[in-house]
Amino acid sequence: MSADNALVAAIELLKQQRNAVVLAHYYQSPEIQDIADFIGDSLELSRKAANTSADVIVFCGVHFMAETAKLMSPNKKVLLPDMSAGCSLSSSITGEDVRNLKKKYPGVPVVSYVNTSADVKSETDVCCTSANAVKIVNSLGVKKVIFLPDDYLAKYVASQTDVEIISWKGTCEVHEQFNDQEINEIRKNNPGIKVIAHPECPPDVINASDFTGSTSGMIKYVKDNQPEKVMMVTECSMSDNVQVDNPNVKFIRPCNLCPHMKKITLPKILDCLQNETNEILMDEVTIEKAKKSVERMTKIGR
Ligand code: 13P
Ligand code: SF4
């Protein structure tokens, strides 16, 4: 048995013994997705795990995602294989920053992207994803909202609504690296290519793209449209994973990897399952307050 096969076998055995589910975000490498029970975007994964009878959740993603899973499954043990797997968006803002913004703009509702810590969510009126951000902002029936923490997503939302957006200077260190010159060059060399971008990209990239959507939105676009050639302007592993289900589509990939996502490895998954280490712990008040902002989003989404 190869070293990798032995690792996979040991993980599968421990999953059964611990009654654990393994969740893998779309940005995880194929070998991690292979051992996962569910693959998806951050919120979808937390929802799916909450609907299982598992005692333990191993989140192969980043810290804010594991926290969100804990909010939705407070009675389950949530483990993150590497506690230093962060996110430049999430770490751009603290609960204290939000409290200060609320003092500066009294009465203005706070909408936070799911890429935020539970602390920030607990100071938030309603959460949003990149897929429903415009709908959530419009649903509030107000003239002005504070929209956190992604400045580019805020600009994208502002372009789609009449509501005034007060933004924060957070950016995704992966998506901010793309630019329109790169896209134009790829279009020149690949006539007819479809370019689809995540809304965390800068505005010049969004403007140069054929479609903008969340990770799930981009996957659906490829599945439904089956373009001959496509460039997914997002974390590079997505293309590897989406390619498997769309063998007739040719993926052209400028490769930007998320260093935080890539901290998750098979040995670390085995280790946290074996020793039940790296548990996400939060106090009950934070859980209750943060959960409300996620529940409000779900209600509006219905
Ligand atoms: P999704 O919520 O679309 O999965 O995106 C998460 C993320 O981190 C994008 O960079
Ligand atoms: Fe955060 Fe960007 Fe990595 Fe997503 S890709 S986890 S937004 S740093």
Side-chain angles (χ1 to χ4, degrees):
M1 202 188 270
S2 74
D4 261 10
N5 285 347
L7 259 175
V8 170
I11 290 170
E12 292 298 345
L13 183 64
L14 274 164
K15 270 163 62 173
Q16 283 176 20
Q17 289 170 348
R18 302 268 192 259
N19 188 26
V21 277
V22 175
L23 313 179
H25 188 266
Y26 288 130
Y27 293 167
Q28 289 296 324
S29 350
E31 81 269 16
I32 305 246
Q33 297 208 347
D34 284 348
I35 55 113
D37 299 286
F38 299 110
I39 300 165
D41 65 36
S42 52
L43 207 64
E44 183 186 347
L45 287 172
S46 294
R47 284 190 178 129
K48 282 185 177 160
N51 285 333
T52 67
S53 56
D55 296 313
V56 177
I57 297 171
V58 179
F59 209 123
C60 302
V62 298
H63 196 273
F64 79 82
M65 297 181 181
E67 276 191 340
T68 308
K70 182 70 184 172
L71 298 181
M72 293 176 147
S73 302
N75 299 323
K76 298 190 200 301
K77 195 176 253 195
V78 178
L79 309 175
L80 179 64
D82 187 321
M83 287 301 239
S84 70
C87 166
S88 62
L89 277 173
S90 178
S91 63
S92 73
I93 188 159
T94 63
E96 176 73 22
D97 292 326
V98 186
R99 283 191 289 279
N100 287 335
L101 277 167
K102 289 200 283 197
K103 269 188 220 148
K104 192 170 168 192
Y105 301 101
V108 179
V110 177
V111 177
S112 295
Y113 188 29
V114 283
N115 291 39
T116 44
S117 65
D119 243 12
V120 167
K121 286 189 180 76
S122 71
E123 296 292 339
T124 291
D125 293 293
V126 51
C127 269
C128 74
T129 65
S130 56
N132 65 21
V134 178
K135 184 175 180 182
I136 298 287
V137 166
N138 285 336
S139 76
L140 299 176
V142 292
K143 289 204 170 103
K144 209 189 270 188
V145 302
I146 300 170
F147 187 94
L148 310 170
D150 187 345
D151 193 31
Y152 292 147
L153 182 58
K155 284 194 167 70
Y156 173 71
V157 173
S159 76
Q160 309 285 315
T161 179
D162 291 332
V163 179
E164 186 188 335
I165 306 287
I166 298 161
S167 66
W168 185 256
K169 286 283 169 214
T171 50
C172 161
E173 66 188 83
V174 179
H175 291 92
E176 73 178 349
Q177 290 178 47
F178 295 105
N179 60 66
D180 58 352
Q181 277 161 311
E182 191 176 9
I183 294 178
N184 294 338
E185 194 60 32
I186 285 177
R187 277 203 199 275
K188 225 191 305 168
N189 298 328
N190 299 275
I193 192 170
K194 293 292 178 200
V195 177
I196 60 177
H198 196 282
E200 287 171 16
C201 291
D204 61 328
V205 172
I206 306 278
N207 291 336
S209 302
D210 299 296
F211 172 80
T212 303
S214 62
T215 49
S216 308
M218 285 194 275
I219 291 172
K220 187 170 172 351
Y221 178 95
V222 173
K223 191 173 161 236
D224 293 351
N225 294 284
Q226 293 291 300
E228 206 176 301
K229 273 189 192 176
V230 73
M231 172 185 173
M232 282 186 148
V233 192
T234 190
E235 215 269 0
C236 186
S237 303
M238 268 264 294
S239 298
D240 293 333
N241 297 316
V242 182
Q243 174 78 83
V244 178
D245 295 326
N246 297 279
N248 298 324
V249 178
K250 186 166 169 43
F251 288 80
I252 305 293
R253 55 192 88 181
C255 206
N256 292 337
L257 293 169
C258 173
H260 308 287
M261 288 280 178
K262 295 299 172 286
K263 283 184 176 167
I264 309 298
T265 61
L266 290 175
K268 288 180 193 171
I269 296 170
L270 178 66
D271 186 66
C272 82
L273 263 170
Q274 218 152 30
N275 304 307
E276 299 209 359
T277 44
N278 294 357
E279 183 177 358
I280 301 290
L281 297 168
M282 275 182 271
D283 64 82
E284 275 176 33
V285 178
T286 307
I287 291 185
E288 270 319 300
K289 283 176 74 187
K291 203 164 112 177
K292 277 201 183 104
S293 66
V294 178
E295 284 170 353
R296 276 191 210 115
M297 167 181 71
T298 310
K299 228 187 228 166
I300 295 169
R302 263 191 218 124

